[in-house]
Amino acid sequence: MKKTGPHSINNEACTGCGECIRVCPDKVIALVEKKAVFSGESCLDCGHCAAVCPVQAIHFKTLSCKMHFQTFAEKREWLPFGGSDITNLVQLMRSRRSCRNYMDKTVSREILCDLVKIGTTAPSGTNSQGWTFTILENRRQVVVFGGFVASFFKALNRKAANPFLRIMAGIFLKDNLGRYYRSYYKTIETGLHEWDSKGKDLLFHGATAAILVGGTPKASCPAEDALLATQNILLAAHAMGLGSCLIGFAVEAMKHDPSIKKRLSISGDESIYAVIALGYPAEKYQFVTGRKVIQPRMVTL
Ligand SMILES: Cc1cc2nc3c(=O)[nH]c(=O)nc-3n(C[C@H](O)[C@H](O)[C@H](O)COP(=O)(O)O)c2cc1C
């Protein structure tokens, strides 16, 4: 991706305070005769310089500060360090739970598009923003996608049920098939049977929408970028009244069966790192849950 740098620094407005130089990660701004000047070197396009400038002298043609959310009001003022409510933030984080019961109610396209925009507020390696988002906006699309995933696992279960293939895979393929058989075969078999015989959706849990978060190879850290955007979406979904659940089985199927991406018009060089099921929740909790006690390692150097 070509990095361009600020498109204009208003020489008259610039007071020469040097704040833009202090926050610039690429050091591509210098003070020349007490005015900020862009060196023309390739920059990250992060916009820190424009955001810090007290007189708004710096402008990027390519960066829009306004995100144009359609379903809620935007506040553009930067929250100072320590300026947000940590109690509320942690309560939101702990209240987000994987939702496995949904109402039969469609999520609007506007909400889904806002969730994607919220995803893009995450950090990305070298600010590449090379993530991709694919939206399935109704239950029918989710069911069709679920069918693609189910076909993949049906074929895999057929292979895994064959003891001869498991032995051969154990010898030649690091026992991947054997491990799959021991860990997932039964669960998948039950899921497929429940779907085929009762129409019970143990894959997407009846979700009425999904967002697939991916990345392109030109991003420096595509998986990390996609997963950071994903967590933003999960938290925002909760705040917007939606339930969500990551569907790792769908990610796994797409990893091994390129025809699924093709059928969703996703290009072959793109990888999908998260599939987020979404919908209006048909469940409610009384309390947040705990987590296993973790003992961080304290380093003594
Ligand atoms: C990478 C990943 C894949 C997951 N895949 C599935 C899945 O396929 N189906 C499902 O019901 N839950 C899935 N989950 C949800 C986890 O089971 C869930 O996050 C975990 O049990 C903790 O519960 P919580 O999300 O409610 O805090 C997945 C979670 C992660 C992080």
Side-chain angles (χ1 to χ4, degrees):
M1 189 187 300
K2 192 174 179 299
K3 307 292 170 83
T4 50
H7 282 270
S8 64
I9 302 181
N10 182 333
N11 199 272
E12 275 170 28
C14 176
T15 61
C17 70
E19 280 302 296
C20 52
I21 296 165
R22 230 161 58 79
V23 298
C24 174
D26 273 347
K27 306 296 171 213
V28 291
I29 305 176
L31 269 192
V32 177
E33 293 172 7
K34 294 189 179 158
K35 297 285 179 183
V37 177
F38 176 53
S39 70
E41 295 289 314
S42 173
C43 100
L44 273 181
D45 277 351
C46 65
H48 285 199
C49 54
V52 81
C53 178
V55 292
Q56 295 177 36
I58 301 181
H59 294 279
F60 281 77
K61 248 191 243 153
T62 47
L63 295 183
S64 167
C65 284
K66 286 201 185 109
M67 294 200 90
H68 301 295
F69 296 108
Q70 298 175 78
T71 60
F72 61 93
E74 178 192 8
K75 281 186 181 170
R76 286 182 53 204
E77 295 78 26
W78 177 73
L79 276 175
F81 295 105
S84 57
D85 186 325
I86 184 64
T87 303
N88 282 347
L89 177 63
V90 175
Q91 191 183 18
L92 170 65
M93 289 169 163
R94 297 182 74 190
S95 299
R96 177 225 53 83
R97 303 309 311 270
S98 295
C99 179
R100 298 186 181 89
N101 297 284
Y102 295 93
M103 290 181 205
D104 181 16
K105 182 177 169 188
T106 303
V107 181
S108 74
R109 182 178 287 192
E110 289 76 18
I111 289 179
L112 294 168
C113 290
D114 275 355
L115 282 172
V116 167
K117 282 179 208 154
I118 292 166
T120 67
T121 64
S124 61
T126 60
N127 195 30
S128 65
Q129 301 178 42
W131 35 45
T132 63
F133 301 89
T134 305
I135 294 176
L136 307 184
E137 63 177 334
N138 56 49
R139 177 70 190 149
R140 192 191 62 76
Q141 292 181 351
V142 174
V143 168
V144 172
F145 177 39
F148 300 157
V149 176
S151 295
F152 166 79
F153 278 106
K154 251 181 207 165
L156 186 57
N157 261 22
R158 262 199 305 275
K159 274 188 212 147
N162 183 331
F164 174 71
L165 280 183
R166 287 205 304 275
I167 290 167
M168 295 307 280
I171 297 166
F172 298 110
L173 295 169
K174 295 184 187 160
D175 196 29
N176 282 348
L177 200 59
R179 247 180 289 127
Y180 169 81
Y181 182 74
R182 291 187 293 277
S183 307
Y184 297 109
Y185 175 83
K186 256 207 178 115
T187 314
I188 300 283
E189 205 59 17
T190 308
L192 292 169
H193 180 258
E194 290 287 299
W195 176 249
D196 285 341
S197 63
K198 300 178 202 157
K200 192 166 178 199
D201 175 11
L202 294 178
L203 178 64
F204 281 98
H205 314 292
T208 55
I211 298 178
L212 282 49
V213 189
T216 55
K218 64 184 175 193
S220 52
C221 313
E224 292 84 347
D225 299 350
L227 294 173
L228 287 162
T230 297
Q231 174 69 350
N232 274 10
I233 292 174
L234 298 179
L235 292 176
H238 188 91
M240 293 163 91
L242 296 176
S244 67
C245 188
L246 290 170
I247 310 297
F249 285 113
V251 174
E252 212 46 37
M254 294 182 86
K255 205 187 290 175
H256 297 285
D257 179 357
S259 77
I260 303 180
K261 281 196 291 187
K262 207 168 173 189
R263 281 184 270 187
L264 292 170
S265 309
I266 297 171
S267 78
D269 66 346
E270 207 176 303
S271 299
I272 299 300
Y273 297 105
V275 171
I276 308 170
L278 289 158
Y280 287 95
E283 59 184 35
K284 203 167 155 182
Y285 297 91
Q286 304 295 329
F287 301 106
V288 298
T289 316
R291 288 287 198 228
K292 288 177 191 161
V293 177
I294 190 101
Q295 203 57 54
R297 184 178 298 114
M298 304 306 289
V299 173
T300 44
L301 289 175

